[in-house]
Amino acid sequence: MTGVCGSWHLDGAPGAGDACAAMQRALAIYGGYRSDRIDLGPIALGIELAHMLPEDRFDRQPLKGADGGLYLVADARIDNRPELAEALGLSADRTTTIGDADYILAAWERWGEEALDRLKGSFAFIMWDARARILRLVRDPLGQRPLFVHRAPGRIHVASMAKGLHALPDIPRAPDAERMRDHIALLPQVGPRSFFAGIDRVEPGQMLRIYGDGRTDQVDWYDRTQDRSPRFARVDDYVDAFRELFDRAIADSLRTTGGVASHLSAGRDSGLVSVSAAAELAKSGRRLTAYTHVPLPGANLPPVTGRFGNEGPGAARAAAMYPNIDHVLVDCAERTVGDEFDRHFFYCEYPVLNPTNSLWDSEIARQAAARGATMLLNGQFGNMTVSTLGTQRLAELVARGRLLRWSREVAALHRNRHDSLRGLLSVSLVPHLPIPIVLLLRRLFGRQDYVVSEYTALREDLARSETFRSHVETIGFDTHFRAWGDVHAMRRMVLWRVDHLGQHMKGMLAATGLDSRDPTSDIRLVEFLSGVPTDVFLRDGQTAWLFKQAFGDRLPAETVEARTKGLQSADWPTRMRQALPALRSELERARHSPTAVALMDMDGLLADASAFPESDADLANTQHNMRYHIRLMRGVSVAHFLRKLEAGNR
């Protein structure tokens, strides 16, 4: 984790170094270990290095190529260093005394742009080719490191975070209304727009080539639809390869300079990450501190079908299996919803996605840092990788006409009490039905449809407008949330739906000194699963079959075979009631934001905040949960972001 920046005066005028220096000062909170800059007159590159990897002490960025033609600044963690070293012919002595950015430069000098396919890890970098006069801006496939760019006549400015660009006097602080609209409506982040007017993001898996005459090539160097899965004759070979690959991801993620902490829920994903990390750390006599959020003492938890509210006991069972895990319960009793808004705005620079979850997420990070951790592990994307259920295979079998195989799986699932026959038929058939039929069936069975202006704070006239509906159709998003019939398509949508992970990681680094890592989103795991036969997920009536075969012995049987899931922030009604006066005040102040008034149903949000149900039982149904938890809380978060951003201009 580090901050990088660059400035290029396309007309050859000097002074790029001054702009770069201003950006570095703004990005210094994401560094702190070492600062440096190379000034080539019309172009300058800067680095604000954070010491998070043992090899960072050897980092000497900005780097200059062997022949003097290439210059590089990189925010990077390269996980396949051994394979790259072998391919590059680097000696053992050499590999122990170079930073991760050196691998990027060496690979580029050997293979050019084809080096990108060989880099496995998380990275964002700026590469200046002095001979060809090409500036390249590159991000890793999953976008775990951010990179933003501002174009002006004769000028190109690049920075890890938008605050680096806002340090320049000619770049105003203002929201991008279209990006804010899509965020409010829970749409995927498609296209280069950022939350800030005039500032684009380099998209995940993308490279921008910027030429001396101002032309730009936008290259999607990583094809997320490509099937990169291996093919094995025996299903057990998938299990063995998957286990080996995940353990490699865990081991690689533990490269750090201090203590290791983790999120530990009662579920499979963070549970698997925590216990696997503990097992790896035990080999060198190290310990893991695992944190579990638990509800406020005495809080009433509204009943939700298939969910349980207190994950403490389940997490404790997993922690007890590993002697080197120190288990800490966090109830955030001293924290209030919304009290982290200002810090999040400053450090992360995007609206809080879920304010009730953000509360305990930030508190766990604070406690972990106070105990000496430098890294915090999580399993955020595990349900799309390591613990994929695979129920979408039923719809796949129907589509392929394999009805006998389908009937056997349905019968086996029913015997295992996975779901009712009606539920299994719905999972099998609904993905193939036109939306009007799906909506009709929902009405017949008494289920609510998902209406954008009801589950989000977007103004109803905007949600119903032809412009918005055409946009939704263009990006291919289903606002009615029809069930998926393709597990691989679903994985791609979830993994690439939002592009805030890198900003969140940057914000956590600046606020606490912690490096956040998710081994379940290791690109090697994602590629392994990109096209595997779906019968490794759903097999003989067993969901998450691959997970159970590979890792069933690492967690308590209750966790591995659980039919219910933990509910994050199950105490949200109690917390929101405590915070309602402050939340209403935030909404009232946001009336001074022109963008908030133009995009959001401010009157409706204030009415919801004033009519918040007194009974928790009233909040157990899906409609109320969407209105008061999702719509209201996301609305308040966006209102705060816009109010802060636009108030700064006045």
Side-chain angles (χ1 to χ4, degrees), residues 257-319:
T257 58
V260 180
S262 73
H263 287 272
L264 175 59
S265 71
R268 296 168 180 151
D269 304 321
S270 64
L272 177 63
V273 168
S274 293
V275 301
S276 299
E280 182 66 25
L281 290 168
K283 297 176 183 178
S284 56
R286 300 163 68 192
R287 302 190 66 80
L288 172 76
T289 306
Y291 294 86
T292 302
H293 171 248
V294 293
L296 281 169
N300 291 320
L301 309 181
V304 178
T305 302
R307 298 296 189 98
F308 58 91
N310 187 353
E311 300 195 71
R317 285 193 292 269

Side-chain angles (χ1 to χ4, degrees), residues 1 33 49-60 76-78 81 95-100 251-258 286 374-375 515 517:
M1 273 299 201
Y33 179 65
L49 183 69
H51 188 191
M52 309 308 298
L53 304 171
E55 297 81 5
D56 283 341
R57 67 186 187 275
F58 304 116
D59 193 301
R60 295 296 178 265
R77 190 189 75 242
I78 302 302
R81 284 172 56 119
T95 59
T96 59
T97 57
I98 59 175
D100 287 29
D252 288 341
S253 71
L254 292 177
R255 232 180 357 130
T256 188
T257 58
R286 300 163 68 192
T374 56
M375 182 176 64
D515 192 359
R517 302 178 190 174

Side-chain angles (χ1 to χ4, degrees), residues 12-32:
D18 294 336
C20 196
M23 289 191 284
Q24 284 183 265
R25 288 191 290 272
L27 296 173
I29 60 172
Y30 305 108

Side-chain angles (χ1 to χ4, degrees), residues 173-466:
R173 289 164 52 91
D176 183 291
E178 186 172 318
R179 173 83 280 275
M180 295 305 309
R181 178 203 64 189
D182 288 3
H183 178 77
I184 295 166
L186 310 186
L187 298 188
Q189 196 162 354
V190 177
R193 289 179 181 272
S194 77
F195 288 109
F196 303 98
I199 295 177
D200 287 342
R201 63 194 179 97
V202 180
E203 297 179 64
Q206 188 179 87
M207 171 174 61
L208 297 186
R209 295 193 206 100
I210 304 175
Y211 299 90
D213 59 5
R215 290 181 298 116
T216 300
D217 287 339
Q218 180 175 300
V219 180
D220 294 318
W221 69 264
Y222 189 85
D223 182 2
R224 62 189 66 170
T225 67
Q226 181 180 341
D227 179 357
R228 295 175 171 84
S229 296
R231 291 296 183 265
F232 298 119
R234 299 170 56 251
V235 70
D236 288 345
D237 292 336
Y238 285 102
V239 176
D240 295 340
F242 189 48
R243 185 189 300 113
E244 181 180 350
L245 188 57
F246 178 75
D247 286 343
R248 169 70 188 276
I250 286 288
D252 288 341
S253 71
L254 292 177
R255 232 180 357 130
T256 188
T257 58
V260 180
S262 73
H263 287 272
L264 175 59
S265 71
R268 296 168 180 151
D269 304 321
S270 64
L272 177 63
V273 168
S274 293
V275 301
S276 299
E280 182 66 25
L281 290 168
K283 297 176 183 178
S284 56
R286 300 163 68 192
R287 302 190 66 80
L288 172 76
T289 306
Y291 294 86
T292 302
H293 171 248
V294 293
L296 281 169
N300 291 320
L301 309 181
V304 178
T305 302
R307 298 296 189 98
F308 58 91
N310 187 353
E311 300 195 71
R317 285 193 292 269
M321 295 176 64
Y322 296 82
N324 64 326
I325 291 182
D326 300 312
H327 190 209
V328 180
L329 302 179
V330 178
D331 61 18
C332 299
E334 305 301 319
R335 302 287 302 278
T336 304
V337 173
D339 67 6
E340 80 285 2
F341 279 178
D342 284 348
R343 286 166 57 86
H344 193 276
F345 176 86
F346 178 71
Y347 289 119
C348 301
E349 298 188 303
Y350 71 90
V352 178
L353 295 181
N354 186 326
T356 50
N357 281 4
S358 179
L359 192 69
W360 55 259
D361 180 74
S362 60
E363 178 61 18
I364 285 175
R366 186 192 67 78
Q367 292 193 25
R371 286 173 175 254
T374 56
M375 182 176 64
L376 183 61
L377 297 171
N378 65 77
Q380 182 174 352
F381 287 111
N383 58 355
M384 289 296 109
T385 55
V386 295
S387 68
T388 301
L389 292 178
T391 51
Q392 295 79 18
R393 183 167 185 255
L394 295 178
E396 173 193 312
L397 291 172
V398 170
R400 295 169 60 187
R402 298 184 60 188
L403 299 184
L404 180 59
R405 179 72 261 177
W406 169 81
S407 64
R408 290 173 179 168
E409 286 291 357
V410 167
L413 285 165
H414 189 55
R415 284 196 304 272
N416 292 337
R417 298 182 180 179
H418 179 274
D419 202 349
S420 66
L421 283 176
R422 192 179 86 177
L424 294 171
L425 285 172
S426 176
V427 170
S428 304
L429 301 178
V430 165
H432 307 301
L433 300 177
I435 288 294
I437 301 299
V438 174
L439 300 185
L440 175 61
L441 289 173
R442 285 178 179 172
R443 286 194 295 270
L444 289 175
F445 288 104
R447 290 186 56 196
Q448 295 287 330
D449 183 27
Y450 297 97
V451 179
V452 173
S453 58
E454 293 180 1
Y455 66 79
T456 80
L458 189 67
R459 281 175 36 174
E460 185 174 5
D461 59 324
L462 295 179
R464 294 180 177 274
S465 70
E466 182 59 34

